[in-house]
Amino acid sequence: MGRPAKATAIQSANLTKLEKDTRKAAEDELRGQDDRIVPPDWLNEGQKTVFEFVVAEMEASRVLGNLDVFVLTQFAVVTERIFDLEQMINEDARSNLQSKELIFARNSYIKDFWRGANELSLSPQARAKIGILNLAKKEEDKDPLKKILAGRV
């Protein structure tokens, strides 16, 4: 099975300017609006905190859209449950039977966590690429020659 496709903004493939622009336009159209990225009311406080943290941290990348609320919601639920299970495991480390059950549950959630992290481009490599691309974009915006060519003087 191949790797999942990445957003144009965070990929490192060598594309021509036309290919990159065409793909970015298609992604922007499919991504939709980003004006309703809010946690559902039914999330508990811990889950809302995780949801809002991810949204705030990803805001600069402009990768998230309203359609991502569903993935973000599940990611927030799984992440908060992992935190709870880790706390329970730490508190009950002496009881082998219960700890084994807790560890099994945690491991199940960990798989979902990494899947969500991958879907939301939250891996260290994806964040590094986003950071590099954001820095390059800022530098490009400062370039006086590019401003003149773009008619923004």
Side-chain angles (χ1 to χ4, degrees):
M1 182 164 95
R3 293 183 181 192
K6 292 183 179 177
T8 306
I10 62 167
Q11 73 162 339
S12 60
N14 293 324
L15 300 175
T16 66
K17 181 161 175 44
L18 177 62
E19 289 172 327
K20 196 171 195 171
D21 290 345
T22 302
R23 196 164 154 191
K24 179 151 178 31
E27 287 173 9
D28 288 345
E29 186 177 321
L30 290 172
R31 182 174 69 86
Q33 300 295 317
D34 61 359
D35 58 339
R36 293 184 304 213
I37 305 177
V38 294
D41 293 337
W42 54 265
L43 291 181
N44 67 33
E45 287 307 310
Q47 294 162 349
K48 285 181 183 178
T49 300
V50 171
F51 186 104
E52 291 164 352
F53 174 79
V54 172
V55 170
E57 294 298 316
M58 296 287 292
E59 191 171 3
S61 69
R62 304 260 314 131
V63 173
L64 299 176
N66 293 340
L67 294 173
D68 297 312
V69 168
F70 306 106
V71 175
L72 282 164
T73 299
Q74 289 307 307
F75 182 78
V77 168
V78 165
T79 302
E80 196 259 349
R81 288 185 181 164
I82 291 170
F83 292 158
D84 287 348
L85 285 167
E86 289 293 351
Q87 186 175 9
M88 291 166 58
I89 290 168
N90 287 342
E91 290 171 357
D92 198 29
R94 299 210 195 287
S95 172
N96 284 339
L97 181 60
Q98 189 169 1
S99 290
K100 286 179 184 177
E101 292 171 359
L102 292 174
I103 290 170
F104 179 78
R106 185 203 62 186
N107 289 342
S108 296
Y109 281 120
I110 290 285
K111 290 176 188 172
D112 292 339
F113 171 84
W114 285 115
R115 175 64 192 245
N118 186 45
E119 293 293 327
L120 294 169
S121 300
L122 298 177
S123 70
Q125 296 88 354
R127 288 193 313 271
K129 287 179 187 177
I130 290 170
I132 290 167
L133 291 167
N134 285 341
L135 181 61
K137 177 73 172 143
K138 287 179 185 176
E139 293 298 320
E140 186 178 300
D141 288 345
K142 291 179 185 177
D143 187 352
L145 180 58
K146 291 201 180 217
K147 285 182 180 179
I148 292 169
L149 292 173
R152 293 184 284 159
V153 181

